Amino acid sequence: MNGVLSVLLDIFRQPSIIVALISLVGLAVQRKKATDIMKGTIRTMVGFLVLAAGASVVSGALDPFGSMFQHAFNVQGVVPNNEAIVGTVLVKYGSEAALIFFFGMIVNILLSMTSRFKYIYLSGHVAFYMATMVAVILEVAGMSTWGVILWGSIAQGLIVTISPALVQPFMKDAAGTNDVALGHTGGAGIALGGLVARLTRSKKHPSKSTEDIKFPAGLGFLRDTTVIIALSMAVIYVVVALFAGSSYIESELSDGQNFIVFAILQAATFSAGVFVILAGVRVVLGEIVPAFKGISEKLVKNSKPALDVPMIFTFAPNAVLIGFISSFVGGVVGMGIMALAGSTIIIPGIVAHFMTGGATGVIGNGQGGVRGAVIGSFVNGLAITFLPLFLLPVLGDTGMANATYSDADYGVAGILLGQFGKGGQIGLIIGIIASVVVFYAASFAMSAREKKKAAVEAK
């Protein structure tokens, strides 16, 4: 009997098996054919193993980068890249993260059913990334495995329900419709950018829309994520390599290979690893998210789907490029401030600035045209530079890696959970319960205000 239990425990410690079982349950709920269930379950397991393989590639490319940066500047340089840090976390906390992700989706549905915030979060990959961060913080606080899963799922559900609600007040102006919501872990930074754009717009001298600007067709390659990661990381690696010096790199890291060639290959390897991770994530979530969507549509009336960032890019393509550039400039300014302060340096993460900066550009354009897109995205760039820095201490040993979480929601939610965690398990439990109370209080207050407003208009 003990032998059987030991085998079962070994099985359930494997994250790939956990996510495969989640896929199996989701497909069975949809009443799929037995052959489809088997195919989907196997694809999910293989997809997760592909993800893990990509994570080792990214980690391997970041190790020499960290050594070069440390040698060149005598400070730690951290790259905010979700795929890189998630790959590292899954090796240790994969099972807990997978279960938090699954039960967090259920909590999202329950919160949407029982409040005015009816946003169903369908951006599965970033929700999964969020689950890994929640798992790390609760583990660092000393919670038991079951406590991590229970309270982590509640925290996860709250985060993915609140994030779309923060951006929604700006969506109608940007999209021309109120029927869809933004589901992305950059929600807090994007909402902040939209608010700043609204506060800084001029009624006397309104700025023209970004879509009135004609951009050269040659800049279209900037919309290819793989290309932009490879190019930008090549520049970053080569610059750091030049400061580190050829003698150090060729004697300590590259085994005699030319230091510039080594730096470029490591940057390309980093990009390849991210590509592999994304491929694995797409396979895993391609089986799980459809089941979640089908269930939520039946249970939550008048719900809004919270969709990934590319959905919002179509509303103002020029604003995406303007937002990306402005956000990146904000990241460079933030990095300069950290360098002057002598702290750990957060190197601008290209993917984060492209995704969240581009989205903030679209939101900012809806509030204040070109001016709103530029100012709002710049503020977002500052936010996603400093928030990862403040997040590092609450991640325990994981925060000492050469990569970290990049988007604003990770910073806001992670820092808040980290503060709760200073009180140990009890502090976390009280903090999460208090957050649920505040969530429903806000829902009640907003509903009451809307009813009062409707009554006044009816008179």
Coordinates of all heavy atoms in Angstrom, one line a residue, residues 322-394:
I322 N 4.0 54.0 -31.4 CA 4.3 55.2 -30.6 C 4.4 54.8 -29.1 O 5.2 55.2 -28.3 CB 3.2 56.3 -30.8 CG1 3.4 56.9 -32.2 CG2 3.4 57.4 -29.7 CD1 2.3 57.9 -32.6
G323 N 3.4 54.0 -28.7 CA 3.4 53.5 -27.3 C 4.6 52.7 -26.9 O 5.2 52.8 -25.8
F324 N 5.0 51.8 -27.8 CA 6.1 51.0 -27.6 C 7.4 51.8 -27.4 O 8.2 51.6 -26.4 CB 6.3 50.0 -28.7 CG 7.7 49.4 -28.8 CD1 8.2 48.7 -27.7 CD2 8.4 49.4 -30.0 CE1 9.5 48.1 -27.8 CE2 9.7 48.8 -30.1 CZ 10.2 48.2 -29.0
I325 N 7.6 52.7 -28.3 CA 8.8 53.6 -28.2 C 8.8 54.4 -26.9 O 9.8 54.6 -26.2 CB 8.9 54.5 -29.5 CG1 9.2 53.6 -30.7 CG2 10.1 55.5 -29.3 CD1 9.0 54.3 -32.0
S326 N 7.7 55.0 -26.6 CA 7.6 55.9 -25.5 C 7.8 55.1 -24.2 O 8.4 55.6 -23.2 CB 6.2 56.6 -25.4 OG 6.0 57.4 -26.6
S327 N 7.2 53.9 -24.1 CA 7.3 53.1 -22.9 C 8.8 52.6 -22.8 O 9.3 52.6 -21.7 CB 6.4 51.8 -23.1 OG 6.5 51.0 -21.9
F328 N 9.4 52.3 -23.9 CA 10.8 51.9 -23.8 C 11.7 53.0 -23.3 O 12.6 52.8 -22.5 CB 11.3 51.4 -25.2 CG 12.7 50.9 -25.2 CD1 13.0 49.6 -24.7 CD2 13.8 51.6 -25.7 CE1 14.2 49.1 -24.6 CE2 15.1 51.1 -25.6 CZ 15.3 49.8 -25.1
V329 N 11.4 54.3 -23.8 CA 12.2 55.4 -23.3 C 12.0 55.6 -21.8 O 12.9 55.9 -21.1 CB 11.7 56.7 -24.0 CG1 12.3 58.0 -23.4 CG2 12.1 56.7 -25.5
G330 N 10.7 55.4 -21.3 CA 10.5 55.4 -19.9 C 11.3 54.4 -19.1 O 11.9 54.6 -18.0
G331 N 11.5 53.2 -19.8 CA 12.3 52.1 -19.2 C 13.8 52.5 -19.1 O 14.4 52.2 -18.1
V332 N 14.3 53.1 -20.1 CA 15.7 53.6 -20.2 C 15.9 54.6 -19.1 O 16.9 54.6 -18.4 CB 16.0 54.1 -21.6 CG1 17.4 54.7 -21.5 CG2 16.0 53.0 -22.6
V333 N 14.9 55.6 -19.0 CA 15.1 56.6 -17.9 C 15.1 56.0 -16.5 O 15.9 56.3 -15.7 CB 13.9 57.6 -18.0 CG1 13.9 58.6 -16.8 CG2 14.0 58.4 -19.3
G334 N 14.2 55.0 -16.3 CA 14.1 54.3 -15.1 C 15.4 53.6 -14.8 O 15.9 53.6 -13.6
M335 N 16.0 52.9 -15.8 CA 17.3 52.2 -15.6 C 18.4 53.2 -15.3 O 19.2 52.9 -14.4 CB 17.6 51.5 -16.9 CG 18.9 50.7 -16.9 SD 19.2 49.7 -18.4 CE 19.6 51.1 -19.5
G336 N 18.4 54.4 -15.9 CA 19.4 55.4 -15.6 C 19.3 55.8 -14.1 O 20.3 56.0 -13.4
I337 N 18.1 56.0 -13.6 CA 17.9 56.4 -12.2 C 18.4 55.3 -11.3 O 19.1 55.6 -10.3 CB 16.4 56.7 -11.9 CG1 15.9 57.9 -12.7 CG2 16.1 56.9 -10.4 CD1 14.4 58.1 -12.7
M338 N 18.2 54.0 -11.6 CA 18.7 52.9 -10.8 C 20.2 52.9 -10.8 O 20.8 52.6 -9.8 CB 18.1 51.6 -11.3 CG 16.6 51.4 -11.1 SD 16.0 49.9 -11.8 CE 14.3 50.2 -11.8
A339 N 20.8 53.2 -12.0 CA 22.2 53.1 -12.1 C 22.9 54.2 -11.2 O 23.8 54.0 -10.5 CB 22.7 53.4 -13.5
L340 N 22.2 55.4 -11.2 CA 22.7 56.5 -10.4 C 22.6 56.2 -8.9 O 23.4 56.6 -8.1 CB 22.0 57.8 -10.7 CG 22.3 58.4 -12.1 CD1 21.3 59.6 -12.4 CD2 23.7 58.8 -12.2
A341 N 21.5 55.4 -8.6 CA 21.2 55.1 -7.2 C 22.1 53.9 -6.7 O 22.1 53.6 -5.5 CB 19.8 54.8 -7.0
G342 N 22.7 53.2 -7.6 CA 23.6 52.1 -7.3 C 22.8 50.9 -6.9 O 23.4 50.0 -6.2
S343 N 21.5 50.7 -7.3 CA 20.7 49.6 -6.9 C 20.8 48.5 -8.0 O 21.5 48.7 -9.0 CB 19.3 50.0 -6.7 OG 18.7 50.3 -8.0
T344 N 20.1 47.4 -7.8 CA 19.9 46.4 -8.8 C 19.3 47.1 -10.0 O 18.4 47.9 -9.8 CB 19.0 45.3 -8.3 OG1 19.7 44.6 -7.3 CG2 18.8 44.3 -9.5
I345 N 19.8 46.8 -11.2 CA 19.3 47.5 -12.4 C 18.3 46.6 -13.2 O 18.6 45.4 -13.5 CB 20.5 47.9 -13.3 CG1 21.3 48.9 -12.6 CG2 20.0 48.4 -14.7 CD1 22.6 49.3 -13.4
I346 N 17.1 47.1 -13.4 CA 16.1 46.4 -14.2 C 16.3 46.9 -15.7 O 16.1 48.0 -16.0 CB 14.7 46.8 -13.8 CG1 14.5 46.4 -12.3 CG2 13.7 46.0 -14.7 CD1 14.6 44.9 -12.0
I347 N 16.8 46.0 -16.5 CA 17.0 46.3 -17.9 C 15.7 46.3 -18.6 O 14.9 45.4 -18.5 CB 18.0 45.2 -18.5 CG1 19.3 45.3 -17.8 CG2 18.2 45.5 -20.0 CD1 20.2 44.1 -18.0
P348 N 15.4 47.3 -19.5 CA 14.1 47.3 -20.2 C 13.8 46.0 -20.9 O 14.6 45.6 -21.8 CB 14.3 48.5 -21.1 CG 15.3 49.4 -20.5 CD 16.3 48.5 -19.8
G349 N 12.7 45.4 -20.5 CA 12.3 44.2 -21.2 C 11.5 44.5 -22.5 O 10.4 45.1 -22.4
I350 N 12.0 44.1 -23.6 CA 11.5 44.5 -24.9 C 10.0 44.0 -25.0 O 9.1 44.8 -25.5 CB 12.3 44.0 -26.1 CG1 13.7 44.6 -26.0 CG2 11.7 44.4 -27.4 CD1 13.8 46.1 -26.0
V351 N 9.8 42.8 -24.7 CA 8.4 42.2 -24.9 C 7.4 43.0 -24.0 O 6.3 43.3 -24.5 CB 8.4 40.7 -24.5 CG1 7.0 40.2 -24.6 CG2 9.4 39.9 -25.4
A352 N 7.8 43.3 -22.8 CA 6.9 44.0 -21.9 C 6.6 45.4 -22.4 O 5.4 45.8 -22.4 CB 7.4 44.1 -20.5
H353 N 7.6 46.1 -22.9 CA 7.4 47.5 -23.4 C 6.6 47.4 -24.7 O 5.8 48.3 -24.9 CB 8.7 48.2 -23.6 CG 9.3 48.6 -22.3 ND1 8.9 49.6 -21.5 CD2 10.4 48.1 -21.6 CE1 9.6 49.8 -20.4 NE2 10.6 48.8 -20.5
F354 N 6.8 46.4 -25.5 CA 6.0 46.3 -26.7 C 4.6 46.0 -26.5 O 3.7 46.7 -27.0 CB 6.6 45.2 -27.6 CG 5.9 45.0 -28.9 CD1 5.9 46.0 -29.9 CD2 5.1 43.9 -29.1 CE1 5.2 45.8 -31.1 CE2 4.4 43.7 -30.3 CZ 4.4 44.6 -31.3
M355 N 4.3 45.0 -25.6 CA 2.9 44.6 -25.4 C 2.2 45.6 -24.5 O 1.1 46.1 -25.0 CB 2.9 43.2 -24.6 CG 3.4 42.1 -25.5 SD 2.2 41.8 -26.9 CE 3.0 40.3 -27.6
T356 N 2.7 46.0 -23.4 CA 1.9 46.9 -22.5 C 2.1 48.3 -23.0 O 1.2 49.1 -22.8 CB 2.4 46.8 -21.0 OG1 3.7 47.2 -20.9 CG2 2.3 45.3 -20.6
G357 N 3.3 48.7 -23.5 CA 3.5 50.0 -24.0 C 2.6 50.3 -25.2 O 1.9 51.3 -25.3
G358 N 2.5 49.3 -26.1 CA 1.6 49.4 -27.3 C 0.2 49.6 -26.9 O -0.6 50.4 -27.4
A359 N -0.3 48.7 -25.9 CA -1.7 48.8 -25.4 C -1.9 50.2 -24.8 O -3.0 50.7 -25.0 CB -2.0 47.7 -24.5
T360 N -1.0 50.6 -24.0 CA -1.2 51.9 -23.3 C -1.2 53.1 -24.4 O -2.0 54.0 -24.2 CB 0.0 52.2 -22.4 OG1 0.2 51.1 -21.5 CG2 -0.3 53.5 -21.5
G361 N -0.5 52.9 -25.5 CA -0.5 53.9 -26.6 C -1.9 53.9 -27.1 O -2.4 55.0 -27.4
V362 N -2.5 52.8 -27.3 CA -3.9 52.8 -27.9 C -4.9 53.4 -26.9 O -5.7 54.2 -27.3 CB -4.4 51.3 -28.2 CG1 -5.8 51.3 -28.7 CG2 -3.4 50.7 -29.2
I363 N -4.8 53.0 -25.6 CA -5.6 53.6 -24.6 C -5.4 55.1 -24.4 O -6.3 55.9 -24.3 CB -5.4 52.9 -23.2 CG1 -5.9 51.5 -23.3 CG2 -6.1 53.7 -22.1 CD1 -7.4 51.3 -23.4
G364 N -4.1 55.5 -24.4 CA -3.8 56.9 -24.3 C -4.2 57.7 -25.5 O -4.7 58.9 -25.3
N365 N -4.2 57.2 -26.6 CA -4.7 57.9 -27.8 C -6.2 58.1 -27.7 O -6.7 59.2 -28.1 CB -4.4 57.0 -29.1 CG -4.9 57.7 -30.4 OD1 -4.5 58.8 -30.7 ND2 -5.8 57.0 -31.1
G366 N -6.9 57.2 -27.2 CA -8.3 57.3 -27.0 C -8.7 58.5 -26.0 O -9.7 59.1 -26.1
Q367 N -7.8 58.7 -25.1 CA -8.0 59.8 -24.1 C -7.5 61.2 -24.6 O -8.1 62.2 -24.3 CB -7.3 59.4 -22.8 CG -7.9 58.2 -22.1 CD -9.4 58.3 -21.9 OE1 -9.8 59.3 -21.3 NE2 -10.1 57.3 -22.3
G368 N -6.3 61.2 -25.2 CA -5.7 62.5 -25.5 C -4.9 62.5 -26.8 O -3.9 63.2 -26.9
G369 N -5.2 61.6 -27.8 CA -4.5 61.7 -29.1 C -3.0 61.3 -28.9 O -2.6 60.5 -28.0
V370 N -2.2 61.9 -29.8 CA -0.8 61.6 -29.8 C -0.2 62.0 -28.4 O 0.6 61.2 -27.9 CB 0.0 62.4 -30.9 CG1 1.5 62.2 -30.8 CG2 -0.5 62.0 -32.3
R371 N -0.5 63.1 -27.8 CA 0.0 63.5 -26.5 C -0.3 62.4 -25.5 O 0.6 62.0 -24.7 CB -0.6 64.8 -26.1 CG 0.0 65.3 -24.8 CD -0.8 66.5 -24.2 NE -0.7 67.7 -25.0 CZ -1.8 68.2 -25.6 NH1 -3.0 67.5 -25.6 NH2 -1.7 69.3 -26.4
G372 N -1.5 62.0 -25.5 CA -2.0 61.0 -24.5 C -1.2 59.7 -24.7 O -0.8 59.0 -23.7
A373 N -1.0 59.3 -25.9 CA -0.3 58.0 -26.2 C 1.1 58.1 -25.7 O 1.7 57.2 -25.1 CB -0.3 57.7 -27.7
V374 N 1.8 59.2 -26.0 CA 3.2 59.4 -25.6 C 3.4 59.5 -24.1 O 4.1 58.7 -23.5 CB 3.8 60.7 -26.2 CG1 5.2 61.0 -25.7 CG2 3.9 60.5 -27.7
I375 N 2.6 60.4 -23.4 CA 2.7 60.6 -22.0 C 2.3 59.3 -21.2 O 3.0 58.8 -20.3 CB 1.9 61.8 -21.5 CG1 2.5 63.1 -22.2 CG2 1.9 61.9 -20.0 CD1 1.7 64.3 -21.8
G376 N 1.1 58.8 -21.6 CA 0.6 57.6 -20.9 C 1.6 56.4 -21.0 O 1.8 55.7 -20.0
S377 N 2.1 56.2 -22.2 CA 3.0 55.0 -22.4 C 4.3 55.3 -21.6 O 4.9 54.3 -21.1 CB 3.3 54.8 -23.9 OG 2.1 54.5 -24.5
F378 N 4.8 56.5 -21.6 CA 6.0 56.8 -20.9 C 5.9 56.5 -19.4 O 6.7 55.9 -18.7 CB 6.4 58.3 -21.0 CG 7.7 58.7 -20.3 CD1 8.9 58.5 -20.8 CD2 7.6 59.3 -19.0 CE1 10.1 58.8 -20.1 CE2 8.7 59.7 -18.3 CZ 10.0 59.4 -18.9
V379 N 4.7 56.8 -18.8 CA 4.4 56.5 -17.4 C 4.4 55.0 -17.2 O 4.9 54.5 -16.2 CB 3.1 57.2 -17.0 CG1 2.6 56.7 -15.6 CG2 3.3 58.7 -17.0
N380 N 3.7 54.3 -18.2 CA 3.7 52.8 -18.1 C 5.1 52.3 -18.1 O 5.4 51.3 -17.3 CB 2.9 52.3 -19.3 CG 3.0 50.7 -19.3 OD1 2.4 50.0 -18.6 ND2 3.8 50.2 -20.3
G381 N 6.0 52.9 -18.9 CA 7.4 52.4 -19.0 C 8.1 52.6 -17.7 O 8.9 51.7 -17.2
L382 N 7.9 53.7 -17.0 CA 8.5 53.9 -15.7 C 7.9 52.8 -14.7 O 8.6 52.3 -13.8 CB 8.2 55.3 -15.2 CG 8.9 56.4 -15.8 CD1 8.4 57.8 -15.3 CD2 10.4 56.3 -15.6
A383 N 6.6 52.6 -14.7 CA 5.9 51.7 -13.8 C 6.5 50.3 -13.9 O 6.8 49.6 -12.9 CB 4.4 51.7 -14.0
I384 N 6.6 49.8 -15.2 CA 7.1 48.4 -15.4 C 8.6 48.3 -15.2 O 9.2 47.2 -15.4 CB 6.6 47.8 -16.7 CG1 7.2 48.5 -17.9 CG2 5.1 47.8 -16.7 CD1 6.8 47.9 -19.2
T385 N 9.3 49.4 -14.9 CA 10.7 49.3 -14.6 C 10.9 49.3 -13.1 O 11.7 48.5 -12.6 CB 11.4 50.6 -15.2 OG1 11.3 50.6 -16.6 CG2 12.9 50.5 -14.9
F386 N 10.2 50.1 -12.4 CA 10.4 50.2 -10.9 C 9.6 49.1 -10.2 O 10.1 48.6 -9.1 CB 10.0 51.6 -10.4 CG 11.0 52.6 -10.7 CD1 10.9 53.5 -11.8 CD2 12.2 52.7 -9.9 CE1 11.9 54.4 -12.0 CE2 13.2 53.6 -10.2 CZ 13.0 54.5 -11.3
L387 N 8.4 48.7 -10.6 CA 7.7 47.7 -9.9 C 8.4 46.3 -9.9 O 8.4 45.7 -8.8 CB 6.3 47.5 -10.6 CG 5.2 48.6 -10.3 CD1 4.0 48.4 -11.2 CD2 4.8 48.5 -8.8
P388 N 9.1 45.9 -11.0 CA 9.8 44.6 -10.8 C 11.0 44.7 -9.8 O 11.3 43.7 -9.2 CB 10.4 44.4 -12.3 CG 9.4 45.1 -13.2 CD 9.0 46.3 -12.4
L389 N 11.5 45.9 -9.7 CA 12.6 46.1 -8.7 C 12.1 45.9 -7.3 O 12.7 45.2 -6.4 CB 13.2 47.5 -8.8 CG 14.3 47.9 -7.8 CD1 15.5 47.0 -8.1 CD2 14.6 49.4 -7.9
F390 N 10.9 46.5 -7.0 CA 10.3 46.4 -5.7 C 9.7 45.0 -5.4 O 9.5 44.6 -4.3 CB 9.2 47.4 -5.5 CG 9.7 48.8 -5.6 CD1 9.0 49.8 -6.3 CD2 10.9 49.2 -5.1 CE1 9.5 51.1 -6.4 CE2 11.4 50.5 -5.2 CZ 10.7 51.4 -5.9
L391 N 9.5 44.2 -6.5 CA 8.9 42.9 -6.4 C 10.0 41.9 -6.0 O 9.7 40.9 -5.3 CB 8.3 42.5 -7.8 CG 7.7 41.0 -7.9 CD1 6.6 40.8 -6.9 CD2 7.3 40.8 -9.3
L392 N 11.2 42.1 -6.4 CA 12.3 41.1 -6.2 C 12.4 40.6 -4.8 O 12.5 39.4 -4.6 CB 13.7 41.7 -6.6 CG 13.9 41.9 -8.2 CD1 15.2 42.6 -8.4 CD2 13.8 40.6 -8.9
P393 N 12.3 41.5 -3.8 CA 12.5 41.0 -2.4 C 11.5 40.0 -1.9 O 11.8 39.2 -1.0 CB 12.5 42.3 -1.5 CG 12.8 43.4 -2.5 CD 12.3 43.0 -3.8
V394 N 10.3 40.0 -2.5 CA 9.2 39.1 -2.0 C 9.2 37.8 -2.7 O 8.4 36.9 -2.3 CB 7.8 39.8 -2.1 CG1 7.8 41.2 -1.5 CG2 7.4 39.9 -3.6

